[in-house]
Amino acid sequence: MAFNPDVKRKIVRDKKTDVHHPCLMCGAKHIRPDAAHIIDEKEWKSKDKKGNDSKFNGIPLCPNCHRVFDEVLRPRLYKALQDFGATGLPSKWERNNKISV
Ligand SMILES: [Zn+2]
C-alpha cells in the first residue's frame, strides 16, 4: 500500500524548496522517488493510536533502493537485531515482503 498523498509529499519533498529529496540510501535524484514504509503500513496503523500514517514511518528511496530495502535490508536487520536480543520487532521485517520469482 502507499502513503496518502499528503504524507507522501512530506516524505519525498523538501518543504521549503518543494524539490524532491534524493534517495536516502544511494543519494540518486529520481524524478518520482518512492516513499518507502519503514514499518509496513498495516502494522504501523495497528500501533498508532489514531490508525494514521506518519511521515516518521517513511523514507525517500529510488525504486531500486526501495526494493533492496524491502527484500534484503529489512530481513537482515531483523535477523541481526533478533540475534542481538531485541524484542518487539516489526513482524513483517522477518521475511521479504515481496513475492519474487
Ligand atoms: Zn537509491
Side-chain angles (χ1 to χ4, degrees):
M1 296 296 285
F3 282 100
N4 81 49
D6 290 337
V7 175
K8 179 177 180 178
R9 194 172 304 111
K10 290 176 183 173
I11 294 167
V12 301
R13 293 184 81 88
D14 184 289
K15 189 176 179 180
K16 291 180 183 173
T17 64
D18 203 33
V19 172
H20 285 121
H21 292 296
C23 173
L24 195 66
M25 287 174 55
C26 75
K29 292 185 178 185
H30 195 274
I31 192 166
R32 290 176 23 168
D34 293 349
H37 282 94
I38 299 170
I39 311 296
D40 281 19
E41 183 178 10
K42 191 174 179 181
E43 196 165 0
W44 176 272
K45 287 181 175 180
S46 74
K47 299 272 185 178
D48 185 271
K49 291 176 184 170
K50 295 178 182 174
N52 291 333
D53 267 341
S54 168
K55 67 179 183 179
F56 300 111
N57 187 34
I59 52 177
L61 295 177
C62 72
N64 287 340
C65 288
H66 191 170
R67 187 169 184 177
V68 170
F69 180 73
D70 283 353
E71 297 184 14
V72 179
L73 192 55
R74 292 193 327 176
R76 288 190 180 203
L77 287 170
Y78 185 93
K79 177 80 171 106
L81 290 167
Q82 188 179 47
D83 288 354
F84 188 69
T87 59
L89 297 172
S91 63
K92 299 290 185 183
W93 278 30
E94 188 172 7
R95 295 181 185 273
N96 174 348
N97 72 350
K98 304 286 188 297
I99 298 171
S100 296
V101 178

